[in-house]
Amino acid sequence: MVLQPSERHYGDWNHGRLGPWCSPTGSPAPLSCETGCGEGSWILVCRLLVPTQVSLLSMEEDIDTRKINNSFLRDHSYATEADIISTVEFNHTGELLATGDKGGRVVIFQREQESKNQVHRRGEYNVYSTFQSHEPEFDYLKSLEIEEKINKIRWLPQQNAAYFLLSTNDKTVKLWKVSERDKRPEGYNLKDEEGRLRDPATITTLRVPVLRPMDLMVEATPRRVFANAHTYHINSISVNSDYETYMSADDLRINLWNFEITNQSFNIVDIKPANMEELTEVITAAEFHPHHCNTFVYSSSKGTIRLCDMRASALCDRHTKFFEEPEDPSNRSFFSEIISSISDVKFSHSGRYIMTRDYLTVKVWDLNMENRPIETYQVHDYLRSKLCSLYENDCIFDKFECVWNGSDSVIMTGSYNNFFRMFDRNTKRDVTLEASRENSKPRAILKPRKVCVGGKRRKDEISVDSLDFSKKILHTAWHPSENIIAVAATNNLYIFQDKVN
């Protein structure tokens, strides 16, 4: 069955933060195909929705039952706050794609296997597993509600037939095992076929249990629960390159965990002042180096990045390197500190560079140059004149993420009006694309968009005053080795594939 972008859905479900720290463009050119972006020709592979009220999707073609048991249809207007996608993450091979939402649910999609008859379906993803990762809780000691929202998902490299991933809400990190089962044991001696215990007096013969084939079933089971280690809300988790440890970061502290130990963690960063009135910044994101297990970075709400080496000190409050760009006094305004806050930090796959995203820009830093970034890309500079209204509606506090492509040659990040931006580091070209429900025709080619700032507006342009700030692309993911991207727009997940891929 060809995946129709408007008819694909997830399935049926059960259903004291430190705030953002603050104080009182030319026409897009197509990207170069030499860098692997197909001259900006991206095709919509599929669009997937999160439903609340669902009815079974009618199937007109013969499809694997395992593929359709979580495929449902519902009216787009029924989406609720719990359906909003809050994180997107490919696994290390790109064969699986996991999403988490504000309802505490994790949905895993599996890539279609290529067949001789349907080569074009190679990039499509279907529901593989769905499970409730976190539930809402209440801290009675602090009279604090703990949301079930999934803040981050991180995959572990696959070591055997099963898959493992970490998911976290504001307080608790869980390690999940996702495995397949296509056989079941039969022929118990002490149980009947329905699982009920038999009277031992009625057992006259002994049977050898055997394994019988069954319909393939995907099971998700929690293997570890890492709780009670964060006073403030977790904003980042990152798996170490030794695959034995991972770290979790909240607004003021970063903890190091061993995957085998759930009842204790090691505090490696603590920026909490003795007097909270002296608090000047908070931790916004953290990540391990992709190759060196002793090195990690974390960003702050002041727009700074600190690189730490765990070999230098057990408590990494003293950084090894400090990355900060001097502020231009002529551009200083009331909003300067707010828009300079870094919402995401990512190491390049090579480990040589760091990418950071603040409200208006994406910056690339060389690990060997601390005083300024080597590249700065304007994501939506046309919003600079609208910071006052964005402050009033709280949009100025939105936390956009950024991602690298597999070769570190192109970077991608989101914007408003369901726009997302791609920047080619080699040619310095950029393109603005839109993930919209109106343009979600099957295998439709995305057309570059342009925002007009005053003056005459061309037919294919959109005025900056017409932008919809309720439609925002905060979470994106890029396939680790191919030009396939996943873009989360509210409760919609769009998957695009390069035309030449």
Side-chain angles (χ1 to χ4, degrees), residues 14 25 49 87 148 167 204 261 263 317 343 368 402 482:
N14 301 317
T25 160
L49 305 179
T87 184
E148 65 270 35
S167 64
T204 58
I261 303 174
N263 60 355
D317 287 348
S343 57
N368 297 322
C402 52
E482 299 181 33

Side-chain angles (χ1 to χ4, degrees), residues 109-176:
F109 300 94
Q110 185 180 48
R111 192 178 185 185
E112 280 288 333
Q113 297 300 315
E114 184 175 346
S115 64
K116 294 181 180 179
N117 299 328
Q118 296 173 313
V119 179
H120 67 280
R121 294 185 59 184
R122 183 67 178 97
E124 295 180 2
Y125 285 78
N126 282 300
V127 174
Y128 178 68
S129 176
T130 65
F131 58 92
Q132 188 76 25
S133 175
H134 288 72
E135 300 281 356
E137 301 176 33
F138 190 80
D139 188 334
Y140 292 96
L141 294 178
K142 299 179 180 178
S143 297
L144 180 69
E145 289 186 9
I146 302 174
E147 295 180 350
E148 65 270 35
K149 172 191 171 187
I150 306 298
N151 293 337
K152 295 290 180 183
I153 290 175
R154 291 292 181 265
W155 289 91
L156 277 67
Q158 188 176 6
Q159 304 292 336
N160 48 43
Y163 302 96
F164 289 87
L165 61 85
L166 288 171
S167 64
T168 182
N169 66 349
D170 288 337
K171 297 291 185 180
T172 304
V173 183
K174 294 184 179 181
L175 174 65
W176 290 89

Side-chain angles (χ1 to χ4, degrees), residues 24-252:
T25 160
S27 176
L31 297 177
S32 168
C33 61
E34 294 179 0
T35 59
C37 281
E39 298 185 344
S41 298
W42 289 84
I43 296 176
L44 176 67
V45 177
C46 54
R47 171 173 161 266
L48 306 114
L49 305 179
V50 179
T52 52
Q53 300 179 11
V54 295
S55 60
L56 189 61
L57 177 65
S58 61
M59 291 294 166
E60 299 178 356
E61 301 180 57
D62 185 19
I63 308 173
D64 181 2
T65 304
R66 180 177 62 89
K67 300 288 187 186
I68 68 172
N69 60 0
N70 284 308
S71 301
F72 293 85
L73 177 62
R74 67 108 180 92
D75 190 328
H76 176 76
S77 61
Y78 290 146
T80 65
E81 182 78 9
D83 300 322
I84 296 176
I85 299 173
S86 55
T87 184
V88 183
E89 188 79 9
F90 281 101
N91 74 338
H92 290 73
T93 64
E95 294 302 305
L96 298 180
L97 173 64
T99 66
D101 63 24
K102 289 190 174 182
R105 301 160 295 202
V106 173
V107 185
I108 301 176
F109 300 94
Q110 185 180 48
R111 192 178 185 185
E112 280 288 333
Q113 297 300 315
E114 184 175 346
S115 64
K116 294 181 180 179
N117 299 328
Q118 296 173 313
V119 179
H120 67 280
R121 294 185 59 184
R122 183 67 178 97
E124 295 180 2
Y125 285 78
N126 282 300
V127 174
Y128 178 68
S129 176
T130 65
F131 58 92
Q132 188 76 25
S133 175
H134 288 72
E135 300 281 356
E137 301 176 33
F138 190 80
D139 188 334
Y140 292 96
L141 294 178
K142 299 179 180 178
S143 297
L144 180 69
E145 289 186 9
I146 302 174
E147 295 180 350
E148 65 270 35
K149 172 191 171 187
I150 306 298
N151 293 337
K152 295 290 180 183
I153 290 175
R154 291 292 181 265
W155 289 91
L156 277 67
Q158 188 176 6
Q159 304 292 336
N160 48 43
Y163 302 96
F164 289 87
L165 61 85
L166 288 171
S167 64
T168 182
N169 66 349
D170 288 337
K171 297 291 185 180
T172 304
V173 183
K174 294 184 179 181
L175 174 65
W176 290 89
K177 176 184 179 182
V178 182
S179 56
E180 297 180 352
R181 186 154 61 93
D182 59 359
K183 292 182 176 63
R184 63 182 177 191
E186 291 183 358
Y188 288 110
N189 289 286
L190 300 180
K191 296 180 181 178
D192 60 20
E193 298 303 326
E194 296 180 0
R196 293 172 298 192
L197 289 175
R198 298 169 58 188
D199 183 359
T202 63
I203 301 175
T204 58
T205 60
L206 293 178
R207 295 185 296 178
V208 177
V210 295
L211 293 175
R212 301 290 188 191
M214 59 175 285
D215 291 338
L216 183 63
M217 183 171 63
V218 181
E219 297 177 319
T221 54
R223 299 303 302 270
R224 305 279 190 278
V225 178
F226 306 89
N228 305 320
H230 286 276
T231 304
Y232 306 100
H233 292 167
I234 299 172
N235 55 49
S236 301
I237 52 176
S238 180
V239 179
N240 202 346
S241 59
D242 60 11
Y243 305 132
E244 295 180 0
T245 58
Y246 77 93
M247 68 177 175
S248 56
D250 64 25
D251 294 327
L252 296 179

Side-chain angles (χ1 to χ4, degrees), residues 224-418:
R224 305 279 190 278
V225 178
F226 306 89
N228 305 320
H230 286 276
T231 304
Y232 306 100
H233 292 167
I234 299 172
N235 55 49
S236 301
I237 52 176
S238 180
V239 179
N240 202 346
S241 59
D242 60 11
Y243 305 132
E244 295 180 0
T245 58
Y246 77 93
M247 68 177 175
S248 56
D250 64 25
D251 294 327
L252 296 179
R253 296 187 178 99
I254 300 177
N255 293 333
L256 181 68
W257 300 83
N258 187 292
F259 280 112
E260 302 299 325
I261 303 174
T262 61
N263 60 355
Q264 62 180 358
S265 62
F266 191 81
N267 181 227
I268 54 177
V269 173
D270 188 348
I271 65 170
K272 182 180 179 181
N275 182 2
M276 285 294 284
E277 294 181 357
E278 299 174 359
L279 182 66
T280 59
E281 64 180 336
V282 296
I283 298 170
T284 57
E287 186 175 66
F288 269 118
H289 192 282
H291 309 304
H292 305 312
C293 61
N294 55 283
T295 306
F296 67 94
V297 295
Y298 68 92
S299 57
S300 81
S301 56
K302 277 192 170 182
T304 61
I305 309 105
R306 292 171 174 84
L307 185 141
C308 301
D309 190 337
M310 291 188 291
R311 298 173 300 182
S313 173
L315 188 62
C316 300
D317 287 348
R318 293 186 178 181
H319 49 267
T320 303
K321 291 188 177 183
F322 183 78
F323 302 85
E324 182 180 25
E325 183 177 23
E327 183 182 8
D328 185 353
S330 61
N331 292 332
R332 179 72 183 177
S333 71
F334 171 80
F335 306 105
S336 295
E337 191 171 347
I338 305 175
I339 63 176
S340 65
S341 175
I342 294 175
S343 57
D344 195 17
V345 59
K346 294 281 177 60
F347 272 106
S348 63
H349 295 85
S350 66
R352 171 69 184 274
Y353 304 101
I354 302 172
M355 174 170 57
T356 60
R357 170 70 203 266
D358 55 42
Y359 189 68
L360 295 178
T361 66
V362 171
K363 298 175 181 177
V364 177
W365 303 76
D366 191 317
L367 287 185
N368 297 322
M369 189 167 70
E370 303 172 49
N371 59 337
R372 62 183 176 85
I374 59 173
E375 301 163 21
T376 300
Y377 301 98
Q378 300 295 332
V379 179
H380 38 217
D381 196 53
Y382 46 78
L383 297 181
R384 197 174 290 274
S385 61
K386 295 189 168 294
L387 293 179
C388 186
S389 59
L390 291 167
Y391 177 79
E392 292 174 352
N393 62 18
D394 284 343
C395 285
I396 200 170
F397 302 113
D398 286 333
K399 299 182 183 299
F400 293 93
E401 297 176 1
C402 52
V403 292
W404 303 86
N405 73 336
S407 60
D408 299 332
S409 60
V410 182
I411 58 182
M412 175 175 62
T413 191
S415 182
Y416 293 105
N417 207 70
N418 280 355

